[in-house]
Each structure stands twice: as structure tokens, then as C-alpha cells.
Amino acid sequence: MKAKKTNKKFDFKVFTDTGPKKKSDYGWDVDITKMLDYSSAVAVLGFSLILSILRTFDVRVETARVMVSAPVLALVTTHVLCINFYKLYYGWNMIVCVAMGVAQLFLWARWAAVSRHPSNWKLWVVVIASGLAMLLEIYDFPPYGGYFDAHSIWHLATVLLTILWWSFIRDDVEFRTSSLLKKSKTKAK
């Protein structure tokens, strides 16, 4: 009887496996740290999605901001409650996170395409590199030379992308503040 051929490029267990069910040698409860990791990731992605929608479509009216934010907050809250108090479906969690991540990358790319922001290039680098880094999280590979696997490279990439993203945010705050100050000075005259 011939053995079934396995797909070496992509591990389909990633969409059904719930991860380890054991305590760590260091005394950390793996289930608790896993839930905190997944919950915080969903919360950050949800907040970033709200921000990307508000910024891309220049939503300034407070009631419209609430109408945009409420469904995303409801989705994030329901998902976090589900994975923490019902059952953690790792695959469903990955699908939700990837969907929110891809949606916000497309929204930020659209904003960068029409914006005349002086630090636009930083945003483009973050959008493109984040999309590539997301592939490391989706398409896992075993440790290369016994040292670096896709997940560890993903974490390294997120540190570098966070530094560049923060740099863009700082530039954006300075740009928006100077624009508002110029508008207020011209109105005062």
C-alpha cells in the first residue's frame, strides 16, 4: 500500500489545530498566554481597521464615526469572547485576523495613493512589507538550519515594521498639526 503524499509547502493543520495543550517548563500557563496573544492581536487589528476606514474615507462627523466603529467593535468583541469562553478555533481566528489585516492594508494603500502626505513612502513600505510578512504567518516553514522558522522571522519583521509605522505616525501628527495651525492662522487674519 502506498503512503499518501503530503503537501510540504503548506501545513493545512494550521486551520484546524488549536496549538499546545501543556504547561511550559518555565511555569507560564500556555493556554492563558495563548489566549492573551490571540485576543490582543484581534483587538489591535480591529482598532487599526477602524482607524484605516476613518482615515481613508475622511470620516469627520461623530455619528458617522460611531456608525463605522460599532460593527467592527461588535465583531472584535464577539470574536474575543468566542475564542476565550467558548472554543478556540485556531483556523477561524487566523481567517478573522488575516481578513482584518488584508482589509486594512488595502485601505491604507488606497489612502497612500491619493494622499499628498510628505511621509507617504513610509506608509507604502509598511503596507508592502506587512503584506509580505503576513505570508510568513500564513505559510509556515520549519526552522532553517535549526535556528529561524517563519514564526520567528514574522516576529522580527513586526518589530521593524512597528518602528517604521511609529515613525510615520509621528510624522503624520506633525503634518496634521502644522496644517491645522496654518488654517487657524489664516482664519484669524
Side-chain angles (χ1 to χ4, degrees):
M1 183 156 78
K2 290 186 178 180
K4 283 187 173 180
K5 211 175 184 184
T6 59
N7 186 347
K8 303 260 186 203
K9 291 183 180 180
F10 183 70
D11 183 12
F12 287 98
K13 283 186 1 181
V14 77
F15 291 111
T16 58
D17 196 10
T18 59
K21 296 276 188 200
K22 61 181 180 179
K23 305 276 187 212
S24 167
D25 294 334
Y26 301 107
W28 286 86
D29 184 352
V30 174
D31 288 336
I32 290 173
T33 55
K34 182 172 54 173
M35 292 303 177
L36 289 171
D37 178 32
Y38 296 163
S39 298
S40 63
V42 171
V44 167
L45 285 166
F47 176 75
S48 300
L49 181 60
I50 291 169
L51 182 61
S52 66
I53 293 168
L54 297 178
R55 224 25 221 281
T56 300
F57 298 108
D58 199 22
V59 181
R60 294 183 186 205
V61 179
E62 197 63 31
T63 52
R65 287 178 180 229
V66 171
M67 290 175 63
V68 166
S69 303
V72 178
L73 288 173
L75 169 78
V76 168
T77 304
T78 304
H79 183 71
V80 168
L81 289 172
C82 180
I83 65 174
N84 282 291
F85 298 111
Y86 179 63
K87 185 173 182 177
L88 171 62
Y89 290 105
Y90 183 77
W92 177 245
N93 186 55
M94 283 289 291
I95 289 168
V96 169
C97 288
V98 168
M100 286 194 297
V102 168
Q104 71 175 294
L105 287 179
F106 278 121
L107 288 168
W108 281 119
R110 185 204 175 271
W111 185 83
V114 299
S115 171
R116 291 194 174 101
H117 198 284
S119 295
N120 229 1
W121 69 271
K122 291 180 182 180
L123 184 57
W124 277 114
V125 171
V126 168
V127 166
I128 293 167
S130 295
L132 294 173
M134 196 181 304
L135 294 175
L136 291 170
E137 187 70 6
I138 296 170
Y139 298 107
D140 198 14
F141 59 81
Y144 178 75
Y147 296 107
F148 301 105
D149 65 345
H151 198 73
S152 65
I153 297 170
W154 155 258
H155 281 288
L156 176 63
T158 57
V159 169
L160 300 173
L161 288 168
T162 301
I163 293 168
L164 187 59
W165 179 244
W166 183 253
S167 174
F168 170 76
I169 291 171
R170 188 187 64 237
D171 294 348
D172 185 46
V173 168
E174 290 172 1
F175 177 70
R176 289 176 59 96
T177 302
S178 68
S179 297
L180 290 172
L181 287 174
K182 286 177 188 175
K183 284 181 183 178
S184 67
K185 285 180 183 178
T186 57
K187 284 183 180 180
K189 291 181 180 181

